[in-house]
Amino acid sequence: MNSIFEKIEGQICKVVKDAFTACENKGILPKIQIEDILVEVPRERGFGDFSTNIAMQVSKQAKMPPRKTAELLVSEFNFSGTYIERTEVAGPGFLNFYLRKDWLYDSLHIIQEKQDRYGEVELGKGIKVNVEFVSANPTGPLHMGNARGGALGDCLASVLKKAGYDVTREFYINDAGNQIEKFGISLEARYLQIIHGEDKVEFPEDGYQGEDIKDHARAYFKENGDILVEKSAEERRKILVDYALPLNIKKIREILEAYGVSYDVWFSEKSLHESGAVKKAIDFLIENGYTVTKDDAVWLNGEKLGLEKDEVLVRNNGIPTYMAADIAYHYNKFITRGFDWAINLWGADHHGHVARMKASMEPFGINGDRLEVVLFQLVRLYRNGELARMSKRTGKAISLEDLLEEVGKDAARFFFNLKTSGSHLDFDLDLAVKQSNDNPVFYVQYAHARICSLLRKLKEEGIEPKSIDSVDLTLLQEKEEIELIRKLSEYPEEVVQSAKTLEPSRLTRYVMDIAANFHSFYNACRVKGEDEELMMARIILVDCTRIVIKNILELIKIEAPEKM
RNA sequence: GUGCCAGUAGCUCAGCAGGAUAGAGCAACGGACUUCUAAUCCGUCGGUCGGGUGUUCGAAUCAUCUCUGGCACGCCA
């Protein structure tokens, strides 16, 4: 048993179902079709430890008011073998359950037993899932959108792993296609500008204007001189791209590592073209009638796939679009590599691509639902209280590298994981740079450091924690103690909910709640100096808190300092 | 114009398989360190859940209309 919550949910469901059966047998309730019985933790403590709204859910079938149904059920309840102490009918027909405190003490036993594996659940049951995120264009530096996607994707992967999925983190390298062309043209222009003068060589209007392009051109020139001047434009660009692209990819890799993000797979788009996988996918679609030809280009047949419009797969110059490559890429994920599920994290500006990617899996016999896209709203930067436009092209945007230098990995990751992916994120650069005390990451880290400090101090005085089995946990009765244990017991359920909703930010907020409950406990109760028995019980509680906080901070890859 | 996302306390956001008196942090104000870290705690103040209509026993949550902001509608990715 990993989760006390599951156990209790099971007990309550059984008690309720048995009561329904008993009522039916007595003929006081009609035969009722029961779907899932929702067991939840009520907001108000005064409404019991757990509650269910089942009586309201079945009110139509029962043909009587919910409260009446609830009362009939209560009269048939049998609590033997459960944690349930008593129950009551409340409000419009809720059934509130009050449990013996054993369940809380038992949850401490689970934490002590599981240690750093506490919170692991079997939701995923080994399902193979591919989480692809960041996948930034290697034509320039990582921006704030990549930063948000990186934190979200990495933490989502961790959550899914914790939930029992077989997770692969993947970065799709866009090392082919139009952008690379543009990259080459931009590099070429900067290179020639060095040799012929800036006013002699026109820079392409849609070229990448960033300083990094100039840096690459300068570096190449420094190493090799003007040897490219005589080459054909095509060859010149290829040489410059082959020079600069690996450097960019290496840099992206290094920065992401510094950000705490490391991948299992770096997947090259170019390899799909070179292996013929892109052509194969296109041919398959053509042969099976999923395309139309217009203006010498091959289009995906939108009508046939239930899409709003057709999409170009092969341009009239014979070069496939990014979408053709993307189809081949996802074919590779599902069929070639056998992933059951693929999750992509995309900036919200790509939302138009979601429906067509899902739909274009169908011809291959892949259910589009196996592809899940988490869209996150783009980050808005504020400087001096004003909106700062971020753009690769101006070269003025703050990059992930800048951010890490200014606020550090911990604050950045925590910040990006504080809000749900769907909400806009206003990033106040001034505040982030300040690294002030209202930064919530310190609040959580401080709780951890406080615990470690306390345990350290006890150890210095020769007080060693006892095994939980020889400790009387029932001495933990204070309100703050109970609330803290209650919160700790919710962890596995939080993992389940985070995984189901694909929202790792939920865990970030949860760990803040734990820290808050701990700080309240710390101010209300003493550990050192209390009677031996009580002190030992509190040491267990404090240690369990440490385990859970550390567990979550490790999951989101934020330092859990032992001293601050 | 069409589509997607968002609109909840002064600010930043939770809540949204419909449920009980809508929550938290920050800010503001008032308290708590001779005792395990005051980077902390306790308390007070603060809301027409953008607006309308509908569905129902019951709506912040669902439907529909509308307003506002962001984004997308390319032989770019």
Side-chain angles (χ1 to χ4, degrees), chain A residues 407 410-411 414 432 434-449 515 519 558 561 564:
Chain A
V407 308
D410 290 353
F414 202 90
K434 244 194 286 171
Q435 205 172 346
S436 59
N437 287 351
D438 47 352
N439 193 331
V441 67
F442 293 124
Y443 183 79
V444 176
Q445 290 180 321
Y446 182 56
H448 185 265
H519 287 310
I558 288 173
M564 279 176 81

Side-chain angles (χ1 to χ4, degrees), chain A residues 1-73:
Chain A
M1 177 60 58
N2 291 323
S3 163
I4 200 78
F5 193 93
E6 277 174 32
K7 190 172 178 181
I8 291 164
E9 191 174 34
Q11 290 180 356
I12 290 176
C13 285
K14 183 164 189 313
V15 163
V16 171
K17 275 182 186 158
D18 288 351
F20 268 112
T21 308
C23 288
E24 281 163 25
N25 291 343
K26 283 191 178 175
I28 52 180
L29 272 179
K31 177 87 185 150
I32 286 171
Q33 192 69 37
I34 307 168
E35 290 165 32
D36 283 345
I37 296 175
L38 180 70
V39 176
E40 56 187 1
V41 178
R43 272 189 207 294
E44 296 282 329
R45 282 288 165 260
F47 297 142
D49 297 307
F50 293 87
S51 74
T52 177
N53 63 352
I54 189 66
M56 283 126 83
Q57 297 293 349
V58 301
S59 74
K60 276 226 175 74
Q61 289 189 72
K63 298 192 181 73
M64 63 178 74
R67 284 195 68 106
K68 183 83 192 300
T69 311
E71 273 152 22
L72 289 175
L73 290 171

Side-chain angles (χ1 to χ4, degrees), chain A residues 143-243:
Chain A
H143 52 68
M144 296 305 263
N146 300 136
R148 188 175 192 188
L152 284 173
D154 191 51
C155 293
L156 176 58
S158 297
V159 166
L160 291 174
K161 196 164 184 192
K162 196 91 186 163
Y165 291 90
D166 177 0
V167 179
T168 297
R169 289 176 169 83
E170 184 154 322
F171 188 112
Y172 182 53
I173 310 167
N174 300 115
D175 53 359
N178 238 322
Q179 299 176 120
I180 296 300
E181 291 294 312
K182 261 166 70 176
F183 186 52
I185 292 168
S186 307
L187 287 165
E188 179 191 35
R190 292 304 187 204
Y191 175 77
L192 293 176
Q193 280 179 343
I194 293 168
I195 294 158
H196 302 304
E198 257 184 59
D199 42 353
K200 293 285 194 303
V201 180
E202 198 181 340
F203 191 78
E205 202 177 324
D206 61 346
Y208 295 118
Q209 311 240 9
E211 221 28 59
D212 52 307
I213 302 288
K214 291 182 187 171
D215 290 342
H216 282 308
R218 275 195 287 265
Y220 183 86
F221 178 75
K222 198 175 171 191
E223 289 171 32
N224 303 286
D226 62 358
I227 60 167
L228 297 183
V229 172
E230 308 150 12
K231 307 259 185 198
S232 70
E234 194 188 344
E235 205 177 341
R236 194 155 54 216
R237 289 170 195 168
K238 185 180 181 307
I239 290 170
L240 284 167
V241 167
D242 286 348
Y243 170 80

